[in-house]
Amino acid sequence: MIFYLHDIYSLILFSSVIFLLLYVGFDKKRVLLLLEHVVNQKYIVTYSRNNLPLFNGLAIMVYLTVLTTIMSIFLTYKTATLSIVWFLIILSSLITLETIKTILTSWLSIILEQTSLLHNYRDSIKTNNLFLSIIFLPIFFVLTYIFDGQLINTQGFKVGVLFVVMFFLLQFIVLKRLNLLNRNLLFYLILYLYVFEIAPYLVLFKLFQNIQ
């Protein structure tokens, strides 16, 4: 059975939607500021640094659910089949990858004595991820349950490409705001983005593509 027709996928998706609905209902002003995140930094200053660990954990899980769905859709682009087992393997791999990235970036910031810059970068990235989740989770919810999943077959890949484009656009905005786009840091910045933000996902995707 393809992953988006399975009850486990529905449970994960509905849990993510419930969290977002609670998030919206808890503080509408917060949501409006988040949706202005691309042109306005008030959300980061007002909310992002004061979030509870539980909130951050749930937000990360929602984002990883979206990311797993996109990677699964990319993997099914040619084969049109991917079991729920593989969906869960991808999700678990992304959780592991996120954990390793957090540990390594923390370690790197201590070595380079840039802990303050790292905290600012993390806050911005967490906000980016939540912003993307609020936009794309409802889209995938609709694609999954309208016309018995036919739309996720025909339109899912396009939505996934749009997600990737928006992801890198938001990354650029973050780097610009933190004044990291300068000649002195450009080489290290490109190296960091490739090692931490691009290569791991490409390696995972290629691995899953070869053994699926």
Side-chain angles (χ1 to χ4, degrees):
M1 178 182 290
I2 199 163
F3 74 93
Y4 56 79
L5 298 177
H6 201 281
D7 290 342
I8 294 178
Y9 174 74
S10 296
L11 178 62
I12 295 172
L13 197 61
F14 270 94
S15 298
S16 298
V17 169
I18 289 172
F19 167 73
L20 287 185
L21 289 175
L22 291 174
Y23 172 76
V24 172
F26 179 73
D27 192 341
K28 293 182 180 178
K29 182 180 178 181
R30 171 192 287 239
V31 177
L32 293 176
L33 283 178
L34 177 62
L35 294 176
E36 297 174 3
H37 165 60
V38 176
V39 295
N40 190 337
Q41 298 188 65
K42 288 183 179 179
Y43 177 88
I44 295 177
V45 175
T46 308
Y47 294 105
S48 181
R49 297 169 188 174
N50 299 317
N51 287 330
L52 296 173
L54 177 61
F55 175 91
N56 287 331
L58 290 172
I60 290 172
M61 284 305 302
V62 173
Y63 171 74
L64 290 180
T65 297
V66 172
L67 195 59
T68 303
T69 301
I70 291 171
M71 186 173 286
S72 299
I73 290 172
F74 285 170
L75 285 169
T76 61
Y77 182 61
K78 292 183 178 180
T79 62
T81 177
L82 185 92
S83 69
I84 189 61
V85 173
W86 273 106
F87 180 88
L88 295 176
I89 290 173
I90 295 170
L91 178 58
S92 300
S93 299
L94 290 176
I95 292 172
T96 303
L97 177 59
E98 187 68 27
T99 303
I100 293 172
K101 281 172 55 180
T102 300
I103 295 171
L104 288 179
T105 51
S106 298
W107 175 71
L108 190 62
S109 70
I110 294 172
I111 291 178
L112 299 178
E113 299 180 349
Q114 294 289 342
T115 53
S116 177
L117 180 61
L118 175 67
H119 285 311
N120 292 334
Y121 179 78
R122 277 182 178 173
D123 289 337
S124 298
I125 294 303
K126 285 188 294 185
T127 303
N128 283 353
N129 293 347
L130 187 56
F131 173 81
L132 289 170
S133 298
I134 283 184
I135 292 176
F136 284 92
L137 184 66
I139 294 176
F140 283 117
F141 186 85
V142 171
L143 292 180
T144 299
Y145 296 107
I146 296 295
F147 303 123
D148 297 324
Q150 293 181 22
L151 286 180
I152 201 169
N153 272 329
T154 58
Q155 305 300 323
F157 185 84
K158 297 176 183 177
V159 176
V161 171
L162 178 60
F163 174 93
V164 173
V165 171
M166 288 187 64
F167 173 84
F168 283 108
L169 176 61
L170 290 172
Q171 284 278 358
F172 175 81
I173 291 173
V174 166
L175 297 173
K176 186 71 174 177
R177 285 176 177 173
L178 295 176
N179 297 317
L180 293 175
L181 296 176
N182 61 70
R183 292 182 181 180
N184 294 331
L185 294 174
L186 191 57
F187 171 77
Y188 300 102
L189 177 62
I190 294 173
L191 182 63
Y192 172 85
L193 289 176
Y194 180 76
V195 172
F196 287 92
E197 304 295 347
I198 299 175
Y201 299 103
L202 291 177
V203 170
L204 275 181
F205 181 81
K206 191 64 178 178
L207 179 63
F208 293 139
Q209 195 175 43
N210 290 336
I211 65 177
Q212 181 221 339

